[in-house]
Amino acid sequence: MSKGYLALMFHAHLPYVRHPEHDFFLEEDWLYEAITETYIPLIEVFEGFEKDGVPWNLTMSITPPLAEMLSDPLLQERYIKHLNKLIELSSKEIERTRWQKDFQHLAFMYKDMFIRAREIFENKYHRNILTAFKKFQDSGHLEIITCGATHGYLPLMDINPHAVRAQIKIAARNYEKHFGCRPRGIWLPECGYYPGHDRFLAEEGIKFFFVDTHSILHATPRPKYGVFAPLFTENGVAAFGRDVESSKQVWSAEEGYPGDHYYRDFYRDIGFDLDFDYVKDYISPDGIRKMTGIKYYRITGESEDKAPYEPQIALEKAASHAGNFMFNREKQVEYLYDVLGGKKPMIVSPYDAELYGHWWFEGPKWIDFLVRKIAFDQDTIELTTPMKYLEENSKIQVSTPSMSSWGYKGYHEVWLEGSNDWIYRHLHEAADRMVELAKSRPDSYGIERRALNQAARELVLAQSSDWAFIMKTDTMVPYAIRRTREHIARFTRLYEDIKRGTIDGEWLNDIESKDNIFNEIDYKVYA
Amino acid sequence: MVKDLKTKTINELKNIAKKLKIRGYGKMTKKKLAESIKKSEENTSRLNAKETKTDLKAEKREEIKEKAPTSNIDDGQSMISESKYITGYSVPKPCFEENFVFPANYGKNNIVLMIRDPYWMYTYWNITEEKFSEIRTAYGDDAISNSKLTLRVKEITGQGPENPNEVFDLFPPIGTKNWYVNIAKPNSSYCVEIGLLLANNEFILIARSNVVHMPLFGPSDIVDEKWASLIDFEKIYALSGGFDTGKSSGELRKEMVKRLEQSLFSGASGAVTSFGKKKQSGKSEKTFFLVVNTELIVYGQTVPSAHLTIQGRDQKLNHDGTFSVRFALPEGVQEIPVTAISEDKEDTITITPVVTKETR
């Protein structure tokens, strides 16, 4: 019999980036890279479990904007084009590296990876890989959970509770559209919890959410089992706290597995390394170099002098890191089991899904090894999901978790500081106006109804925490500002037009086709 | 020339454009097609002129074809101007989003209070011109010019804003519209007021904020009897933070706080990786450097139906029988046999360039 539980949770999210008005749009690459490097490799790993009859339980959030992008025909079409270019480039690379034995096998590896990706994306899942994840959920092994409608950072939205509620309601409804059932769990955007928001989760029938460690440790009253058991909020929703140790082993820049010198280096990419003429068809059409995804070096060390990547050695590293992770969890669980007086501890380890594959190239393999080892090489720990835990453990302490997030310093500073604090007066005003519109127009129809729905779309798109985050991290800042401005501008015009009764139908068509997220949206969620 | 083109149908023009390899011809209007064809023909004649001038050394002509400098540049330019037509057909509408200016004020007098962390709050406010003139009328110009914009911070745990436990004032410079406020008591309720403080210490309230309850920093002192711990809570607390349990409670608490402040959260939000494509292997940190790589381009032409191999590996030909392959060139001698075999396998030609690379 096992002595404790381990729940791995992967948070998959990208902001809604879709620009039909441009043939090429650099930021759309975020999605294409994540599909090739993270989502498809995860699907391959999960398929392997199913094929080999590995008992497995994992949790994964697929945020509504990501689900909407993955099911969007334009982006699907563009992804295929993107992939075809990569296949073409990797074919050229196979030729180019003919006399470089250290590199040519890597060129073959990439070409193979791209062709497999196309096979899975196009032929196996007919361009909609959500159906793959849904299949794993239906088979009972993958718990897919939702998130805020557009990953809006809820603690900084609290001034208008209607706006918080709408983020949850829109998300739950969108989840139903894509997965055919109600969501049972939620990953609060950035793990951002504001006491009281759990009532909106309860309204949607959501059973559990995640918080950071200190949220549980500083809960009122004191949590008897620390972070090793969930708490029920007063509204009866379970809060699962993140385990520090297991997080650090993967996340930490210095001590974490992904920093191993034999793992593939993320930064060295042929898009930057090779002759301009040669790569110009594979970077931005305006000649700005960008990553292609073809990377030949391993991390090597501090020096600039990088050694060629050796996949076999990296694979062995991933296996031994998975073994190490499991060993540490076994020791942790055995010890905690005694300390807790014979109660099975719950170890919760949430990660950004895009860490695996995109950043840590070998990450999906690590998951593969870990899940298989846990299934066959030990019986101390049991892989579970929060939902399964709740089904097996009915006695749960009631306590209110403390406000928190998983961002730097544990609270809201990442999304509220000098570079981005100016956005909130506009976001709050727009939310107030949206509520005003919805309350004063309880049963609108025709063009006004469309305008109201579009106003709701513009509001939630402006609320994505990604824009504040990008402003803070100083990469792609103009794009984040542009998006905030665009959505607030469109919202403001809609608000004024609706109030005046002068909605410009042609313009409305245009922005409906651009910001086409959530075709099912109903502005009345703001009433 | 353009006149001639005008008499042709759009399909005829498209055929011409196709022959001339004009990009994007399928989506062009008739007028645009005619212009592109004209431009393309001018380029070709310029190119021809060059060819006759340099007079026909075989390799040279090859070089011109490869580089085709004039036509490449024009091609790029026309591509750029074309893009305008491909999407629009009509004159693009002025993009109002780009000209949108965030309103400085939404015509309200209000103040909003937000929590940043257990010790810091953020507040922003709006004061209309009308409000200022209203106050000016009521109190007189002098009183206003000697007043200070005042942010009054009230700790009101268990109280209403009228009976605060503690009050302190901050004086943001005139024109300021937001402020970060440092407070001493986590796990307490606060609200703020914006107003003017007159020289006689009278406070003119303009707006009062919402109330926020600051988060607790540290473990709660409240224990639910039903869930009273038989185990030392400090121990569980320490274990939850991943500490060595051999230490005293005081030490553990201190370490936990330190951990909370530093390492626990650094790098926690992994979204960085999703957007981290700007930094490139720290090259920017160097002030001066040199990297030299060599590549070899092998190119040529044969009969389109022929079968071609380079160093024994099949090489796909372009439609016109040309080919071009690029190799990273290592040190030493490379022999590169290029073999063309005719479709009927009757004829075979092999040409073997030998290249030596030596870096000194």
Side-chain angles (χ1 to χ4, degrees):
Chain A
M1 205 192 78
S2 79
K3 288 187 165 178
Y5 304 98
L6 173 66
L8 297 173
M9 147 72 199
F10 303 104
H11 171 52
H13 165 65
L14 284 171
Y16 198 70
V17 177
R18 178 183 174 275
H19 291 277
E21 71 276 23
H22 298 284
D23 287 336
F24 173 89
F25 204 85
L26 185 61
E27 282 78 3
E28 286 179 4
D29 270 17
W30 297 341
L31 176 70
Y32 309 147
E33 286 174 10
I35 295 175
T36 311
E37 295 167 3
T38 297
Y39 309 144
I40 286 180
L42 284 180
I43 289 171
E44 288 187 282
V45 167
F46 298 165
E47 278 177 343
F49 297 155
E50 301 274 295
K51 186 171 66 112
D52 300 339
V54 179
W56 62 292
N57 285 304
L58 296 172
T59 307
M60 184 174 178
S61 61
I62 297 177
T63 68
L66 178 60
E68 288 286 279
M69 288 192 289
L70 288 175
S71 57
D72 181 82
L74 175 77
L75 292 174
Q76 290 167 349
E77 179 66 32
R78 288 184 173 187
Y79 174 65
I80 295 282
K81 275 193 194 146
H82 174 90
L83 208 46
N84 285 338
K85 291 286 270 186
L86 284 178
I87 290 167
E88 184 184 296
L89 177 61
S90 52
S91 305
K92 283 192 190 172
E93 277 299 279
I94 289 169
E95 296 306 332
R96 193 187 65 83
T97 54
R98 180 177 298 185
W99 302 321
Q100 297 182 305
K101 288 292 162 252
D102 287 347
F103 296 105
Q104 199 193 26
H105 68 104
L106 297 172
F108 274 110
M109 174 187 85
Y110 283 112
K111 186 175 177 183
D112 182 50
M113 177 175 146
F114 299 142
I115 285 175
R116 260 188 0 254
R118 189 171 62 186
E119 171 63 25
I120 288 172
F121 187 85
E122 177 112 67
N123 298 337
K124 189 145 189 196
Y125 295 105
H126 310 292
R127 300 190 174 196
N128 186 353
I129 56 171
L130 287 179
T131 57
F133 294 111
K134 182 178 185 300
K135 182 180 77 181
F136 302 129
Q137 165 147 290
D138 294 345
S139 79
H141 295 119
L142 183 69
E143 175 88 31
I144 302 173
I145 64 174
T146 190
C147 190
T150 52
H151 214 261
Y153 190 68
L154 307 180
L156 297 178
M157 216 180 276
D158 184 71
I159 186 75
N160 189 334
H162 292 281
V164 179
R165 173 187 275 132
Q167 278 273 339
I168 308 294
K169 272 195 181 304
I170 294 168
R173 180 146 180 208
N174 187 254
Y175 182 99
E176 227 176 336
K177 176 175 99 177
H178 290 296
F179 301 108
C181 57
R182 299 288 293 174
R184 302 194 291 181
I186 190 168
W187 174 259
L188 295 173
E190 306 293 1
C191 219
Y193 177 64
Y194 196 108
H197 287 179
D198 45 298
R199 74 177 183 275
F200 304 127
L201 309 185
E203 280 173 13
E204 297 307 307
I206 290 169
K207 302 279 185 270
F208 67 90
F209 63 104
F210 296 87
V211 288
D212 209 333
T213 321
H214 54 302
S215 187
I216 298 284
L217 291 182
H218 299 169
T220 308
R222 276 189 187 181
K224 181 174 179 181
Y225 299 110
V227 78
F228 305 111
L231 298 173
F232 268 148
T233 69
E234 281 174 7
N235 293 296
V237 188
F240 287 82
R242 171 161 85 145
D243 173 58
V244 176
E245 250 339 272
S246 57
S247 290
K248 220 172 60 167
Q249 282 190 308
V250 177
W251 275 122
S252 165
E254 302 87 41
E255 310 149 56
Y257 303 133
D260 190 282
H261 291 181
Y262 282 93
Y263 284 144
R264 196 198 67 175
D265 186 82
F266 175 76
Y267 294 110
R268 283 292 292 273
D269 187 292
I270 65 166
F272 292 102
D273 280 356
L274 295 185
D275 177 42
F276 181 78
D277 276 345
Y278 178 72
V279 294
K280 72 176 189 309
D281 291 342
Y282 309 95
I283 56 175
S284 298
D286 55 9
I288 295 172
R289 285 176 181 264
K290 68 169 188 77
M291 287 195 173
T292 61
I294 300 180
K295 304 162 204 267
Y296 290 140
Y297 295 90
R298 61 185 177 87
I299 293 170
T300 315
E302 292 302 303
S303 119
E304 277 302 300
D305 225 359
K306 302 279 180 204
Y309 179 57
E310 296 168 77
Q312 276 313 316
I313 299 180
L315 198 64
E316 281 167 28
K317 283 280 178 182
S320 92
H321 284 153
N324 176 273
F325 186 88
M326 184 177 79
F327 176 79
N328 286 329
R329 296 293 78 71
E330 284 178 84
K331 294 294 144 218
Q332 187 183 14
V333 156
E334 275 169 6
Y335 183 68
L336 286 168
Y337 182 77
D338 290 340
V339 173
L340 300 183
K343 180 182 169 62
K344 288 187 189 179
M346 171 72 157
I347 312 284
V348 176
S349 307
Y351 307 100
D352 258 357
E354 293 79 15
L355 168 78
Y356 293 86
H358 177 59
W359 174 265
W360 178 16
F361 187 60
E362 300 78 6
K365 279 286 166 203
W366 178 85
I367 297 172
D368 195 9
F369 288 125
L370 179 63
V371 170
R372 286 168 191 262
K373 276 176 194 288
I374 288 174
F376 300 119
D377 295 355
Q378 58 85 47
D379 357 83
T380 311
I381 47 179
E382 186 183 329
L383 206 53
T384 191
T385 66
M387 209 54 221
K388 291 198 161 127
Y389 179 96
L390 293 174
E391 281 157 11
E392 289 168 26
N393 299 268
S394 52
K395 254 191 92 184
I396 286 165
Q397 185 180 357
V398 176
S399 173
T400 303
S402 167
M403 180 177 295
S404 56
S405 84
W406 76 342
Y408 179 61
K409 293 186 187 169
Y411 297 91
H412 319 315
E413 192 175 336
V414 171
W415 304 275
L416 181 66
E417 52 109 55
S419 65
N420 53 30
D421 54 20
W422 60 273
I423 64 176
Y424 294 100
R425 63 172 67 232
H426 305 294
L427 295 178
H428 293 169
E429 180 65 27
D432 290 350
R433 288 176 164 187
M434 188 69 228
V435 174
E436 176 204 329
L437 288 176
K439 283 193 186 298
S440 61
R441 288 164 173 75
D443 35 36
S444 209
Y445 57 91
I447 192 168
E448 187 185 79
R449 186 188 178 85
R450 278 171 51 208
L452 286 162
N453 286 339
Q454 192 59 28
R457 285 185 195 104
E458 301 298 341
L459 172 60
V460 290
L461 286 170
Q463 286 171 333
S464 296
S465 72
D466 308 87
W467 314 140
F469 181 82
I470 295 172
M471 288 175 202
K472 143 107 184 142
T473 54
D474 215 27
T475 32
M476 317 292 231
V477 175
Y479 182 68
I481 294 175
R482 170 189 160 170
R483 287 294 300 271
T484 305
R485 179 191 290 119
E486 265 177 15
H487 298 306
I488 292 291
R490 288 171 188 163
F491 177 85
T492 306
R493 181 165 162 190
L494 284 164
Y495 170 77
E496 286 165 357
D497 287 359
I498 292 167
K499 298 246 311 184
R500 275 198 307 259
T502 55
I503 298 158
D504 177 345
E506 201 187 327
W507 177 70
L508 181 59
N509 280 337
D510 182 48
I511 58 169
E512 278 175 337
S513 72
K514 284 176 181 156
D515 296 331
N516 70 337
I517 194 169
F518 306 140
N519 62 4
E520 73 284 3
I521 206 168
D522 181 354
Y523 72 94
K524 290 200 286 293
V525 294
Y526 284 96
Chain B
M1 190 73 188
V2 180
K3 246 186 187 169
D4 290 349
L5 291 172
K6 272 185 184 160
T7 61
K8 294 195 188 317
T9 68
I10 188 152
N11 282 334
E12 285 170 330
L13 290 176
K14 279 186 180 172
N15 280 332
I16 296 171
K18 191 177 176 185
K19 277 184 200 141
L20 290 169
K21 294 186 182 152
I22 292 170
R23 282 195 242 175
Y25 69 88
K27 290 173 181 165
M28 287 181 191
T29 58
K30 193 174 165 184
K31 192 171 162 221
K32 176 71 186 144
L33 269 170
E35 280 168 12
S36 302
I37 290 167
K38 188 179 162 233
K39 209 186 242 173
S40 169
E41 292 197 338
E42 280 168 9
N43 288 340
T44 321
S45 54
R46 244 186 290 164
L47 191 65
N48 288 342
K50 241 188 191 164
E51 272 179 356
T52 27
K53 242 191 259 169
T54 46
D55 220 357
L56 295 184
K57 257 193 178 174
E59 319 93 319
K60 274 252 166 85
R61 191 174 53 204
E62 198 59 26
E63 209 170 274
I64 292 166
K65 253 193 208 159
E66 274 299 309
K67 287 183 187 162
T70 42
S71 80
N72 261 351
I73 292 163
D74 277 0
D75 211 29
Q77 276 170 0
S78 62
M79 273 301 281
I80 291 163
S81 47
E82 254 174 41
S83 60
K84 195 161 65 191
Y85 297 94
I86 291 169
T87 47
Y89 290 109
S90 60
V91 184
K93 280 176 233 141
C95 183
F96 96 97
E97 290 92 343
E98 276 170 31
N99 302 320
F100 176 80
V101 179
F102 287 103
N105 192 313
Y106 287 97
K108 286 179 173 173
N109 294 294
N110 70 335
I111 179 164
V112 170
L113 183 61
M114 296 159 75
I115 299 168
R116 193 188 84 177
D117 59 45
Y119 292 100
W120 286 91
M121 309 187 295
Y122 171 76
T123 176
Y124 68 84
W125 57 86
N126 290 299
I127 306 172
T128 57
E129 280 307 314
E130 292 72 28
K131 187 71 189 177
F132 272 118
S133 22
E134 193 184 296
I135 296 172
R136 195 168 282 126
T137 315
Y139 291 84
D141 282 350
D142 277 2
I144 301 306
S145 44
N146 291 324
S147 71
K148 281 190 280 192
L149 180 66
T150 301
L151 187 63
R152 181 155 284 185
V153 184
K154 294 180 165 180
E155 191 260 289
I156 56 166
T157 316
Q159 305 289 337
E162 308 299 342
N163 305 302
N165 303 315
E166 235 181 283
V167 177
F168 64 92
D169 286 347
L170 296 168
F171 306 104
I174 281 284
T176 311
K177 296 178 71 187
N178 55 63
W179 206 251
Y180 286 92
V181 181
N182 186 206
I183 55 106
K185 288 197 227 160
N187 200 27
S188 305
S189 299
Y190 284 86
C191 74
V192 290
E193 294 169 348
I194 191 77
L196 295 179
L197 192 65
L198 303 184
N200 66 3
N201 262 346
E202 187 186 342
F203 181 68
I204 307 169
L205 176 69
I206 296 173
R208 177 183 289 155
S209 77
N210 53 306
V211 177
V212 298
H213 190 83
M214 302 300 282
L216 173 67
F217 193 68
S220 170
D221 293 326
I222 300 167
V223 177
D224 180 343
E225 289 306 319
K226 274 186 297 182
W227 295 88
S229 194
L230 300 171
I231 334 143
D232 180 10
F233 179 71
E234 299 284 347
K235 191 171 183 179
I236 294 283
Y237 191 78
L239 283 168
S240 298
F243 296 111
D244 181 359
T245 48
K247 293 184 176 165
S248 78
S249 303
E251 277 176 312
L252 288 171
R253 172 87 55 122
K254 223 192 278 167
E255 249 187 70
M256 186 66 195
V257 170
K258 211 173 99 197
R259 168 71 67 83
L260 280 168
E261 282 166 352
Q262 308 165 355
S263 58
L264 172 55
F265 311 114
S266 55
S269 178
V272 191
T273 60
S274 309
F275 306 110
K277 59 188 52 170
K278 211 172 132 194
K279 190 190 160 212
Q280 199 235 328
S281 73
K283 253 184 199 162
S284 54
E285 286 154 28
K286 285 186 184 176
T287 48
F288 187 70
F289 66 90
L290 173 67
V291 178
V292 178
N293 294 312
T294 48
E295 296 198 336
L296 178 72
I297 298 176
V298 175
Y299 65 95
Q301 185 168 16
T302 179
V303 181
S305 63
H307 179 82
L308 190 86
T309 62
I310 300 179
Q311 276 192 329
R313 278 191 57 157
D314 289 355
Q315 176 60 43
K316 218 180 141 210
L317 294 170
N318 298 327
H319 296 301
D320 58 357
T322 59
F323 59 91
S324 172
V325 196
R326 232 175 135 118
F327 301 103
L329 188 63
E331 296 284 306
V333 183
Q334 298 294 335
E335 286 188 23
I336 310 141
V338 180
T339 303
I341 304 167
S342 63
E343 200 177 11
D344 56 16
K345 307 216 170 12
E346 299 254 314
D347 299 303
T348 300
I349 304 174
T350 297
I351 299 175
T352 307
V354 177
V355 181
T356 305
K357 181 194 168 192
E358 185 191 354
T359 306
R360 291 181 187 150

